[in-house]
Amino acid sequence: MLTIPFMDQIWSSYEGRSACGWKLQSFLGPRGGRGFFVAQDAAGWNALVQIIPKGDEAAEAVYEGWRHGAKLSSEHLISVYETGETELSGDVPAYFAAMELPDDDIGELST
């Protein structure tokens, strides 16, 4: 996994910016090299957006997992709305997944 110092400050600096067609409204925290945000698209849909910088095989594996997960459908799974590639600040290539906001506290789900 790509390691970047001061990850909290870097991720939180993206609050209020647009990435991958979603406005990153609030930074929820980092986990496993990823940044988690509550985001909204142009139509007003809210989602949980995960972003992971490209750069190693682990990021590729996470992205492939998101892509395959987007094909699944069950009332017991969080829906993945969209996956793709983006650039943060115009120069940091990254993968993203926009998914259904869970009803539970995201902090509890990610532990």
Side-chain angles (χ1 to χ4, degrees), residues 13-53:
S13 73
Y14 294 112
E15 275 186 341
R17 296 184 189 187
S18 291
C20 48
W22 295 85
K23 183 173 182 182
L24 306 176
Q25 295 182 316
S26 59
F27 173 58
L28 300 173
R31 182 88 175 169
R34 293 171 278 185
F36 291 78
F37 296 85
V38 172
Q40 189 173 67
D41 72 359
W45 287 89
N46 291 323
L48 171 69
V49 171
Q50 293 185 49
I51 301 174
I52 187 168

Side-chain angles (χ1 to χ4, degrees), residues 38-98:
V38 172
Q40 189 173 67
D41 72 359
W45 287 89
N46 291 323
L48 171 69
V49 171
Q50 293 185 49
I51 301 174
I52 187 168
K54 288 183 173 183
D56 63 19
E57 290 179 18
E60 297 283 333
V62 168
Y63 178 62
E64 286 303 311
W66 290 339
R67 287 186 54 232
H68 292 293
K71 298 174 186 175
L72 302 174
S73 178
S74 170
E75 65 183 67
H76 302 289
L77 297 174
I78 293 174
S79 298
V80 178
Y81 301 139
E82 178 182 10
T83 63
E85 300 180 32
T86 190
E87 285 192 357
L88 303 172
S89 296
D91 63 352
V92 179
Y95 297 115
F96 76 92

